[in-house]
Amino acid sequence: MQREDNGKPTGEQALKIAALVSVGRHPVTGRTRRAEYDARAVEIGFSLAKGEDLYLVHAGECSPEAEAALRGYLGMGIGAIDVLQQPAGSDVVPALEAWLRTAAPRIVLCGARGETGEGSGLVPFLLAERLGWSLVSGLAEVESVVRDTMTVLQALPRGQRRRLKVRLPAVVTVDGAAHAARQSAFGPARRGELRRKAFGTNPDGAAREWTIAPARKRPKRLKIVKASSARDRFKAAAAKAEGSGGQVLNGVPAQQGAEAILKLLREEGVLR
Amino acid sequence: MLDVVLPILIFAALALALAGAVRRVRLWRQGRPSPVSVLGGLAAMPRRYLVDLHHVVARDKVFANTHVATGGGFVAAAVLLILVHGFQLESRLLSWALLAATAVMFAGALRVAARRKNPPARLSRGPWMRLPKSLFAFASGVFLVTLPTAGVLPASFGGWALAAVLALAVAWGIGEMFLGMAWGGPMKHAFAGALHLAFHRRPERFGGGRSTGLKPLDLKDSTAPLGVGKPADFTWNQLLGFDACVQCGRCEAMCPAFAAGQPLNPKKLIQDMVVGLAGGTDAAYAGSPYPGKPVGEHGGDAHSPIVLRDVREGRALVDAETLWSCTTCRACVEECPMMIEHVDAIVDMRRFLTMEHGNTPNKGREVLENLATTDNPGGFDPASRMNWAADLDLPLMAKRGTADVLLWMGDGAFDMRNQRTLRALVKVLRAAQVDFAVLGNEELDSGDVARRLGDEASFQTLAVRNAATLAKYRFREIVTCDPHSVHVLKNEYPAFGASYTVTHHSTFISNLMEKGRLTLGEWTGGRVTYHDPCYLGRYNGEYEAPRKALKGIGIKVVEMERSGFRSRCCGGGGGAPITDIPGKRRIPDMRIEEINATKAEVVAVGCPQCTAMLEGVVGPRPEVLDIAELVAAQLVTAPAPARRAEEALEAEVAA
């Protein structure tokens, strides 16, 4: 991983980067911490911008636990985090949108998946839509930034990568395939500043109707590999997930398409 | 002529030495404050020098005598020289005493010269090679100029040419001995060493005491540096301690990391700190380098960083990997005749690397994050801490509230190998009908690894939380099979308000044996050797109990060449397996070689780390068994009282 040699920011002026950070939750103990994917986003931010051009922002409650978790990001060597104070159950998107419009970064980084609340799941998509900026999901690495475009590697399943050219400004979600976040150190975490900012609150009407349950592991279809040699087993394990026996329906009437879907669902036993 | 030249020479040298001494003291005072009792320390100094220091030096009998002759002879000669030739006191008695002193010193110098003829690798060369010559110059010069004053020769003997030659010899001797002491020659060790003994940061070490717990950082004071980032961040008496080093290399000869070819040499590290406090580069260093690192590329001063944040920025005083090679086994500290505290210094610098740079190598980040989120270094579910004892029905403190013995499980509770040891220990405790209980899932990691990796913040959090848990219950003592826990609970928790009697299981078992509470069979296996864990031996002085426990089951321990206080580390301490700095070989491999040399079939151990490290060595190697396992295997099935009851029952049935 020769991350330094990739001819990073080559723009004439300093590249302004923002990273959206959320409060994480340890999967076993449930303790708050810096969120794994968001921390990777901050790490990418470090590779693109010098300390003062990297802005961190968090929108949400600022409880003592949340503060401890946010200090986890400060410990990576960030001077300050802007905390847009939002009470529990409010929609953070408008606050973030307003903040991004004022700060006007060229790249907005965030983790592909948060660990608590709405985290960063849909937030980047909503923000990109409202701001009219490009969106890249599942980023593994930023290869170069030249003026108004950046070249990135997008992570695909099974270690595959897709090189994309993206027009800036852009919102980017960072995948678990990105470089691991650096250690968070006690000294900078203690010195760093949480700049609390009051922001207009928007109650999240949609979220009120949701029922929230702990995530379960998604059931996985059993894949039976009938292979006689190690080579076959390896090929089966490393092969691209190819749809076999599927159908591509293009330009067919809606009725016919719906029937095809229903037929498949019955075959698979989803509908009985 | 000499009676004019000598006083001038002596008093000029004394004045210059005084100026040098003031300069040296100012160099030390660059460090941070550390309260010491100045008068008390100075008053205690002669005893510390003559008893404690000599006790360490005397491990090498020949050299101890050499040093007594040379050093003692010189001190006496210097005082008498000032009286006889400086103040020109006309006393035959003093003159004869001076002749005797210089003769003794000369004899000592002969031995010094003999040792310097073909010096072992651990000794530094450079200026140290001229020291015997300087000693000769001083001793013989002063001897000869004293012959006339003692009345052996007429005052006018030899004329001015001989007088000039003698004056030159005396000048050379005085230059090395008086000026070198204060301005930084080999004799600096006498001046700095004496004051270091007086103002030592761990005065408890003198008079046969022990002080091994690391000093806590005051994290509430946000202006204090987090550990040591530049030489001036050390306390002034730590800097003084570095300056006391005689470069005898006994530490180097004992250091397991140095022997394994990892980039650490305790002697060089202390010399680098001297370079740091005085400013300059290590080019003048004339001893063994850090393995794989050429001398002359590092340097710095008191106010510039010791380690650079990023290796690409170049080089500073020391490379980070040097600091991370240490296993904190304390072999260097144990062996140092000057009682320098290498491990304190290394952990101080590691604190800065972890808490300011956020740069703990290899698995360090993962382990420290696990400790913060799951309270154990492995990142296991803290609710599964008791899984190893699911079938043992262990009494929980939370239910009992009180017990004679609190069995501290340690993080070995998550390790399948150590679970066997724990189960064996429980078996022994039950056989002896000990009233014990465990904390169960309330127990957290003791914080040992966090502290050695420099994460003082995580350590203190764990210590405070553990101390609060312990305070809830009543018990007589804590027993554990992990010497690291023994050390932390016994020596480092008192600073956090938790002072308890903490006993290693080997001590506890040998006490049970003495009280006759265990019915044991005799060992019928083959030869057994015993590997002393650093954190039980050098950290806590417990060498006897494990051997007694083994003797109690009829094992005659075949001792290794390096055992007791000179035992070699297994390589598992100080977070060394986590930071994993590469060397030429592995420390546990070297230890198994030493174990194999005893032709033992079993190596008895008393530490989960040692077990893991030694078992990780490829065969052929002896079986690694914990003392608890060896004792448990010799338990005669039913404990004595129960058997008596059974016999009574049988008798009844028969009747």
Side-chain angles (χ1 to χ4, degrees):
Chain A
M1 280 263 204
Q2 296 270 301
R3 293 159 50 79
E4 306 74 46
D5 303 341
N6 287 344
K8 277 289 145 64
T10 41
E12 294 83 32
Q13 72 231 41
L15 188 64
K16 202 170 171 186
I17 311 269
L20 315 182
V21 294
S22 63
V23 173
R25 181 179 183 277
H26 191 268
V28 177
T29 55
R31 281 187 212 165
T32 58
R33 58 163 188 179
R34 59 175 183 171
E36 176 70 34
Y37 284 51
D38 289 351
R40 282 173 200 255
V42 175
E43 186 63 44
I44 288 190
F46 270 118
S47 72
L48 294 174
K50 291 272 177 299
E52 60 272 22
D53 292 318
L54 177 60
Y55 295 82
L56 262 60
V57 62
H58 168 75
E61 267 191 300
C62 203
S63 61
E65 292 89 50
E67 185 182 326
L70 293 175
R71 289 205 175 272
Y73 298 104
L74 291 173
M76 296 170 75
I78 309 276
I81 297 180
D82 283 349
V83 180
L84 316 180
Q85 286 185 300
Q86 302 276 298
S90 52
D91 185 2
V92 297
V93 172
L96 287 174
E97 185 198 345
W99 185 88
L100 285 172
R101 281 194 195 279
T102 343
R106 302 296 288 156
I107 303 173
V108 182
L109 297 157
C110 66
R113 194 182 299 158
E115 295 170 4
T116 51
E118 288 178 68
S120 35
L122 254 188
V123 171
F125 295 88
L126 294 172
L127 283 174
E129 188 184 32
R130 286 178 175 223
L131 294 163
W133 294 357
S134 333
L135 181 117
V136 188
S137 67
L139 182 100
E141 200 183 324
V142 176
E143 288 191 319
S144 66
V145 183
V146 183
R147 279 181 217 100
D148 264 356
T149 42
M150 66 171 175
T151 319
V152 301
L153 288 182
Q154 189 183 34
L156 299 175
R158 290 167 202 275
Q160 295 174 94
R161 297 285 182 272
R162 178 155 57 200
R163 182 168 288 124
L164 299 173
K165 263 200 170 153
V166 184
R167 179 183 296 278
L168 298 183
V171 181
V172 163
T173 75
V174 175
D175 188 77
H179 202 273
R182 66 190 59 190
Q183 193 171 340
S184 177
F186 176 80
R190 185 172 68 172
R191 278 193 302 274
E193 193 192 345
L194 294 176
R195 284 194 292 246
R196 290 185 175 79
K197 296 191 171 167
F199 249 80
T201 58
N202 296 276
D204 193 344
R208 231 174 272 155
E209 290 156 27
W210 297 343
T211 24
I212 293 179
R216 279 181 306 155
K217 272 213 165 131
R218 228 188 286 174
K220 222 174 170 182
R221 184 184 293 272
L222 276 179
K223 193 167 84 177
I224 296 149
V225 180
K226 285 184 192 130
S228 50
S229 68
R231 186 170 176 273
D232 290 344
R233 275 193 296 278
F234 179 76
K235 269 172 72 180
K240 241 192 254 186
E242 282 167 33
S244 58
Q247 260 179 294
V248 180
L249 300 176
N250 264 336
V252 291
Q255 179 70 22
Q256 200 185 333
E259 273 167 15
I261 293 170
L262 271 175
K263 186 166 160 263
L264 179 73
L265 291 178
R266 286 211 181 85
E267 275 172 14
E268 296 288 337
V270 179
L271 289 180
R272 283 185 195 143
Chain B
M1 190 189 92
L2 277 175
D3 49 1
V4 181
V5 174
L6 283 180
I8 296 173
L9 206 58
I10 291 167
F11 289 114
L14 284 177
L16 280 173
L18 191 69
V22 170
R23 174 181 167 269
R24 210 75 209 166
V25 171
R26 290 171 69 128
L27 286 179
W28 303 328
R29 299 294 298 187
Q30 295 174 104
R32 290 193 301 125
S34 169
V36 291
S37 148
V38 175
L39 292 179
L42 288 174
M45 190 258 282
R47 198 192 141 74
R48 291 175 181 178
Y49 175 75
L50 293 171
V51 180
D52 298 283
L53 178 136
H54 184 74
H55 181 74
V56 184
V57 179
R59 288 174 192 166
D60 179 349
K61 276 277 176 327
V62 176
F63 191 73
N65 295 337
T66 307
H67 190 256
V68 168
T70 325
F74 166 69
V75 171
V79 173
L80 292 165
L81 174 72
I82 293 166
L83 294 178
V84 173
H85 295 291
F87 293 109
Q88 310 259 319
L89 292 185
E90 286 187 19
S91 155
R92 282 282 158 97
L93 185 71
L94 288 182
S95 296
W96 277 101
L98 179 53
L99 285 180
T102 45
V104 170
M105 183 180 166
F106 192 86
L110 281 174
R111 299 255 7 127
V112 176
R115 199 167 76 133
R116 285 279 158 190
K117 202 157 244 168
N118 207 352
R122 64 182 172 86
L123 289 178
S124 290
R125 286 157 174 78
W128 295 86
M129 295 308 275
R130 70 160 194 253
L131 184 60
K133 297 185 194 95
S134 308
L135 294 172
F136 285 138
F138 182 89
S140 49
V142 174
F143 184 87
L144 292 175
V145 296
T146 310
L147 286 177
T149 50
V152 180
L153 291 173
S156 58
F157 182 81
W160 68 268
L162 182 64
V165 170
L166 287 181
L168 276 179
V170 174
W172 176 9
I174 288 182
E176 179 77 270
M177 305 305 285
F178 288 9
L179 300 188
M181 233 184 238
W183 287 93
M187 285 310 294
K188 187 186 67 184
H189 80 271
F191 171 56
L195 293 180
H196 166 58
L197 290 180
F199 307 131
H200 201 282
R201 202 155 155 255
R202 294 178 180 277
E204 306 85 0
R205 282 187 67 193
F206 300 104
R210 196 172 289 281
S211 166
T212 54
L214 292 174
K215 309 253 179 210
L217 264 188
D218 183 6
L219 295 175
K220 289 193 191 82
D221 178 5
S222 58
T223 57
L226 295 168
V228 168
K230 49 187 195 299
D233 289 341
F234 282 112
T235 63
W236 69 270
N237 48 1
Q238 277 179 299
L239 293 179
L240 165 58
F242 303 144
D243 228 7
C245 174
V246 265
Q247 302 196 35
C248 66
R250 292 185 190 208
C251 50
E252 171 188 321
M254 286 296 153
C255 178
F258 179 79
Q262 285 172 272
L264 170 66
N265 175 351
K267 179 174 89 174
K268 171 81 164 56
L269 183 77
I270 298 301
Q271 286 312 308
D272 282 349
M273 295 302 114
V274 174
V275 167
L277 83 100
T281 75
D282 65 344
Y285 173 73
S288 321
Y290 298 128
K293 289 196 188 287
V295 167
E297 295 177 356
H298 293 74
D301 60 69
H303 299 283
S304 52
I306 294 176
V307 178
L308 293 181
R309 197 174 279 266
D310 193 330
V311 278
R312 285 166 301 183
E313 289 171 27
R315 295 217 151 113
L317 205 50
V318 177
D319 291 342
E321 52 180 6
T322 292
L323 302 176
W324 294 115
S325 294
C326 176
T327 66
T328 68
C329 74
R330 251 185 116 76
C332 48
V333 184
E334 181 75 38
E335 212 61 32
C336 180
M338 277 298 184
M339 310 216 157
I340 297 170
E341 295 282 346
H342 311 65
V343 174
D344 279 4
I346 288 174
V347 174
D348 279 340
M349 291 185 274
R350 284 185 179 185
R351 284 173 175 172
F352 196 82
L353 296 185
T354 292
M355 293 199 289
E356 280 296 346
H357 289 188
N359 212 352
T360 320
N362 287 320
K363 291 278 172 190
R365 177 181 64 90
E366 201 179 314
V367 165
L368 296 177
E369 274 173 15
N370 284 340
L371 278 169
T373 49
T374 63
D375 305 323
N376 66 76
F380 299 103
D381 184 353
S384 69
R385 192 176 278 270
M386 284 298 286
N387 285 7
W388 66 277
D391 58 335
L392 292 180
D393 191 24
L394 292 186
L396 285 178
M397 268 296 184
K399 284 190 191 138
R400 298 269 311 271
T402 172
D404 247 10
V405 167
L406 172 71
L407 176 62
W408 183 272
M409 304 178 287
D411 277 312
F414 293 108
D415 172 55
M416 289 175 82
R417 174 62 185 88
N418 189 57
Q419 289 169 4
R420 299 210 313 257
T421 306
L422 280 169
R423 295 178 74 90
L425 180 57
V426 167
K427 195 174 159 193
V428 173
L429 293 180
R430 290 210 156 137
Q433 296 177 329
V434 175
D435 171 36
F436 74 97
V438 293
L439 289 177
N441 292 336
E442 280 187 287
E443 189 184 304
L444 313 175
D445 178 70
S446 64
D448 169 66
V449 164
R451 193 165 224 200
R452 297 330 116 178
L453 288 179
D455 193 348
E456 182 72 3
S458 293
F459 167 75
Q460 292 196 5
T461 313
L462 289 166
V464 167
R465 289 170 62 206
N466 272 325
T469 309
L470 290 171
K472 287 196 293 185
Y473 305 117
R474 280 190 306 126
F475 47 87
R476 192 166 42 80
E477 65 182 315
I478 300 176
V479 173
T480 175
C481 65
D482 175 12
H484 295 263
S485 300
V486 172
H487 169 64
V488 172
L489 294 176
K490 183 175 159 191
N491 304 323
E492 297 188 344
Y493 272 27
F496 302 90
S499 297
Y500 297 100
T501 311
V502 189
T503 319
H504 186 242
H505 70 313
S506 65
T507 318
F508 193 76
I509 288 175
S510 82
N511 287 344
L512 289 178
M513 286 173 169
E514 259 171 33
K515 287 184 203 142
R517 285 175 62 183
L518 292 170
T519 323
L520 294 163
E522 286 277 298
W523 169 255
T524 50
R527 283 159 78 89
V528 180
T529 188
Y530 169 66
H531 164 77
D532 286 274
C534 311
Y535 275 74
L536 184 62
R538 281 186 290 268
Y539 275 84
N540 286 293
E542 187 59 280
Y543 303 108
E544 281 312 306
R547 290 176 169 82
K548 265 202 259 171
L550 293 173
K551 204 174 161 207
I553 48 172
I555 291 179
K556 283 196 198 78
V557 173
V558 189
E559 292 291 354
M560 277 180 266
E561 195 194 324
R562 290 172 189 258
S563 66
F565 74 88
R566 278 193 170 144
S567 169
R568 175 173 267 169
C569 178
C570 67
I578 296 161
T579 55
D580 200 22
I581 304 298
K584 288 201 177 60
R585 23 190 344 210
R586 294 174 65 246
I587 297 173
D589 290 353
M590 298 190 303
R591 189 57 173 163
I592 284 286
E593 261 172 36
E594 292 169 355
I595 292 167
N596 278 338
T598 64
K599 299 197 175 63
E601 286 154 53
V602 171
V603 51
V605 289
C607 171
Q609 282 290 341
C610 299
T611 316
M613 296 307 284
L614 297 179
E615 282 202 339
V617 177
V618 288
R621 58 155 175 79
E623 201 177 345
V624 182
L625 289 172
D626 193 276
I627 292 169
E629 292 178 287
L630 287 165
V631 173
Q634 297 308 321
L635 281 176
V636 174
T637 17
R643 205 171 48 211
R644 236 176 282 129
E646 263 171 47
E647 277 163 13
L649 193 71
E650 272 167 37
E652 255 174 57
V653 172

